[in-house]
Amino acid sequence: MSFVGNCGTFTRGYKAMIMDVEFLYHLLYLLICALGLFVHEFFYSLLLFDLVYREETLLNVIKSVTRNGRSIILTAVLALILVYLFSIVGYLFFKDDFILEVDKLPNETLLPDRTEPGETMTGEFLYSDVCKAGSSENCSSIVPSDQVVAEEREEENKEHTCETLLMCIVTVLSHGLRSGGGVGDVLRKPSKEEPLFAARVIYDLLFFFMVIIIVLNLIFGVIIDTFADLRSEKQKKEEILKTTCFICGLERDKFDNKTVTFEEHIKEEHNMWHYLCFIVLVKVKDSTEYTGPESYVAEMIK
């Protein structure tokens, strides 16, 4: 309410009020406070973003992404096109190489409980240390049942993630972009005896150079350059405010060897707060009592 009163929101009309970004910003924060009070306390944490709004340096960090948003979005579209093409190639030629290790949720029903007295014949057949008659297994080197179970569990924790083209796209997009060396870091390591070994090496290298090195660094470069430009603009503004008169635009070096120094000029002759006070006077004074200069200034303000 203090913001509305200080800014004269209702005196400007409802259309100007709705189009005022700062008013909408405060209205959004009021809504977040209501959600935190009546829905969940989590919404209170969103109020911390007010620090970004108040601090110009943090605001420049956000602007470094939004100012050249079109370039970043188009570069990201190029990255998605390349990921889509690499996913098609992987689905057609390297489907068996997309084997990723997963961490499944624990399920006690996967293996039979060997501590129960009523152990089933299937469990005895699969997990006992007895050598099976009629099998081709060498009974002189029996594999312990615990090792068999561990190997089976290790096999269960691996999944083929390229059974469909959609799964290939998801795998290449998720693991390929997040891996430092590209999608080749998470796929199966091929043997040099395989017929597609050379093609697989080319596939991994192309993804690394085209997506990881070129496209991602293009996006990072746009963001970093924009942030550097914003910082330079901020420094230039501060330099102008320190070395230039706000009213007449004369620079500090114009007052060298003069009877009036730059500091005396901006404090006495062209004090910008005096001009602001005069504008306030013109706004609050009755127009029928204007002097000649006040009438001229009031017309210029309009």
Side-chain angles (χ1 to χ4, degrees):
M1 294 304 297
S2 64
F3 170 79
V4 171
N6 293 333
C7 294
T9 304
F10 294 111
T11 60
R12 294 182 299 169
Y14 290 101
K15 183 177 181 181
M17 179 178 64
I18 295 174
M19 299 300 294
D20 188 0
V21 178
E22 194 169 0
F23 173 75
L24 296 177
Y25 171 79
H26 284 80
L27 193 63
L28 175 63
Y29 263 51
L30 183 63
L31 177 62
I32 292 175
C33 290
L35 291 174
L37 184 62
F38 297 107
V39 180
H40 197 274
E41 294 83 358
F42 162 77
F43 291 98
Y44 286 132
S45 62
L46 299 178
L47 298 175
L48 291 173
F49 283 105
D50 188 52
L51 179 64
V52 179
Y53 180 78
R54 295 175 181 269
E55 182 60 39
E56 185 178 2
T57 303
L58 295 178
L59 202 59
N60 286 338
V61 174
I62 305 299
K63 289 181 179 178
S64 65
V65 179
T66 57
R67 171 175 284 193
N68 289 331
R70 186 173 183 273
S71 300
I72 295 176
I73 291 175
L74 291 178
T75 309
V77 170
L78 174 61
L80 290 177
I81 293 174
L82 292 175
V83 167
Y84 179 64
L85 295 177
F86 278 99
S87 301
I88 294 176
V89 175
Y91 178 72
L92 293 177
F93 301 102
F94 307 109
K95 183 185 297 186
D96 296 333
D97 292 346
F98 284 77
I99 303 176
L100 301 182
E101 186 174 350
V102 297
D103 297 327
K104 294 184 178 179
L105 294 175
N107 189 356
E108 297 179 355
T109 61
L110 291 177
L111 295 176
D113 190 0
R114 301 184 63 189
T115 59
E116 295 293 333
E119 191 175 34
T120 60
M121 294 296 293
T122 305
E124 182 69 25
F125 178 77
L126 291 176
Y127 304 108
S128 64
D129 296 339
V130 180
C131 181
K132 283 75 178 178
S135 65
S136 59
E137 182 184 2
N138 187 1
C139 294
S140 60
S141 59
I142 299 177
V143 179
S145 59
D146 294 339
Q147 183 177 350
V148 174
V149 173
E151 291 178 355
E152 290 181 355
R153 286 180 177 175
E154 185 178 354
E155 290 295 329
E156 290 178 355
N157 290 336
K158 293 183 178 180
E159 290 184 352
H160 290 271
T161 56
C162 194
E163 295 178 352
T164 62
L165 180 58
L166 178 61
M167 284 303 302
C168 275
I169 296 174
V170 173
T171 302
V172 175
L173 185 64
S174 175
H175 296 277
L177 296 182
R178 292 188 294 111
S179 300
V183 71
D185 286 356
V186 297
L187 299 185
R188 182 184 66 88
K189 304 300 184 291
S191 172
K192 63 180 180 180
E193 305 296 335
E194 298 180 10
L196 293 178
F197 175 76
R200 172 62 191 281
V201 171
I202 296 174
Y203 178 80
D204 295 345
L205 289 177
L206 283 177
F207 188 91
F208 176 71
F209 282 112
M210 297 179 66
V211 179
I212 303 298
I213 292 183
I214 298 177
V215 177
L216 292 186
N217 283 293
L218 281 175
I219 297 177
F220 298 151
V222 170
I223 295 175
I224 294 173
D225 290 343
T226 306
F227 183 75
D229 293 340
L230 291 171
R231 185 172 55 187
S232 300
E233 291 177 5
K234 179 184 176 182
Q235 293 175 351
K236 188 176 180 180
K237 287 180 182 178
E238 294 176 351
E239 186 68 21
I240 291 175
L241 290 175
K242 291 179 181 178
T243 61
T244 306
C245 177
F246 185 77
I247 302 300
C248 64
L250 290 177
E251 297 179 352
R252 181 183 292 269
D253 57 0
K254 298 294 190 297
F255 295 89
D256 294 341
N257 301 323
K258 298 295 188 298
T259 56
V260 179
T261 63
F262 178 75
E263 284 74 15
E264 292 175 348
H265 175 75
I266 63 176
K267 289 181 180 179
E268 297 178 6
E269 296 179 350
H270 281 171
N271 190 320
M272 61 180 180
W273 302 114
H274 294 172
Y275 283 80
L276 178 62
C277 292
F278 184 67
I279 292 174
V280 173
L281 172 65
V282 171
K283 285 182 174 292
V284 299
K285 190 175 181 179
D286 190 359
S287 60
T288 59
E289 299 179 0
Y290 281 165
T291 62
E294 290 174 352
S295 300
Y296 175 78
V297 171
E299 189 66 26
M300 290 297 100
I301 291 175
K302 289 181 182 180

